[in-house]
Amino acid sequence: IAEYAFQNCSKVTSIELPSKLATIGKSAFYGMNGLRKVTLRSRCLPDGDNGFHVKTGEETLDIIIGSEVERIPKGFFSYTTHAQLTFEEGSKCREIGESAFYSTGLQHRVMLPESLETIGYKSFSYITTPFSIAFSGERLKLVTSCAFEGSTGLEGNLELPASVKEIATCAFYDCSGLN
């Protein structure tokens, strides 16, 4: 999918990216503000800065990460408003890339998959809508610098798995909603 391929196609409400997809260009889905559901199935998605930069108004964008996805690309859902993030059962996602959900309006509880090993630089930074994070496995090793920086919407208790080897500088800086 080339750069800007579906930019501003605001009447499209649902997209499923197939498992064989090899390329997603910069801002390929930028401005698809009518979108309500995105399902990722491609095993290895390339970095696609602002792949989905979607303003949904008061509607929620359901983001479903398919079980075969191994990595969420850099900046893929950054600046998307009102999003609900779900990982399919049996998820193989090992990494959430740099700024993947930067300043995204995540809502509710996000259950990170058992397979997750790395939470990338600023991947969940500057989220101000109320949400919580839960870890379901014992493979997480690294929470990189600024991973949740400035996410004042991050609420509740944070229980990191015993497998974590490093929590880098400013990983949870200014997460004032944590107990």
Side-chain angles (χ1 to χ4, degrees):
I1 299 175
E3 291 183 358
Y4 310 104
F6 293 96
Q7 183 173 357
N8 297 328
C9 291
S10 60
K11 291 184 181 181
V12 176
T13 59
S14 180
I15 290 179
E16 181 167 333
L17 300 178
S19 60
K20 304 259 185 220
L21 185 64
T23 309
I24 298 173
K26 180 179 178 182
S27 300
F29 305 99
Y30 184 95
M32 293 183 71
N33 297 336
L35 213 50
R36 298 296 171 263
K37 183 177 180 181
V38 173
T39 304
L40 303 180
R41 300 241 177 256
S42 186
R43 185 171 164 246
C44 296
L45 291 165
D47 284 337
D49 286 339
N50 297 324
F52 289 89
H53 179 131
V54 178
K55 303 291 183 194
T56 59
E58 295 302 313
E59 300 292 324
T60 299
L61 174 63
D62 289 319
I63 300 169
I64 299 162
I65 308 299
S67 61
E68 294 302 311
V69 175
E70 294 180 352
R71 178 177 172 271
I72 300 172
K74 173 184 176 183
F76 212 59
F77 291 101
S78 60
Y79 301 105
T80 295
T81 59
H82 297 91
Q84 174 65 45
L85 174 61
T86 305
F87 289 85
E88 285 184 343
E89 193 160 331
S91 174
K92 295 178 182 160
C93 186
R94 293 179 288 118
E95 179 186 356
I96 297 175
E98 178 182 331
S99 302
F101 298 97
Y102 182 92
S103 196
T104 295
L106 285 179
Q107 300 174 342
H108 311 293
R109 182 181 174 100
V110 175
M111 177 64 75
L112 297 175
E114 285 183 29
S115 55
L116 190 64
E117 297 173 3
T118 302
I119 298 175
Y121 176 74
K122 293 196 175 194
S123 54
F124 291 99
S125 289
Y126 297 99
I127 299 172
T128 58
T129 53
F131 77 107
S132 63
I133 292 281
F135 300 92
S136 63
E138 290 292 327
R139 292 187 185 162
L140 184 66
K141 293 175 180 47
L142 174 62
V143 179
T144 61
S145 61
C146 308
F148 293 89
E149 177 186 33
S151 285
T152 56
L154 182 56
E155 299 178 327
N157 296 323
L158 184 67
E159 295 182 30
L160 294 167
S163 59
V164 173
K165 295 189 183 330
E166 181 181 354
I167 299 174
T169 306
C170 298
F172 294 95
Y173 177 78
D174 201 21
C175 290
S176 56
L178 287 177
N179 294 333

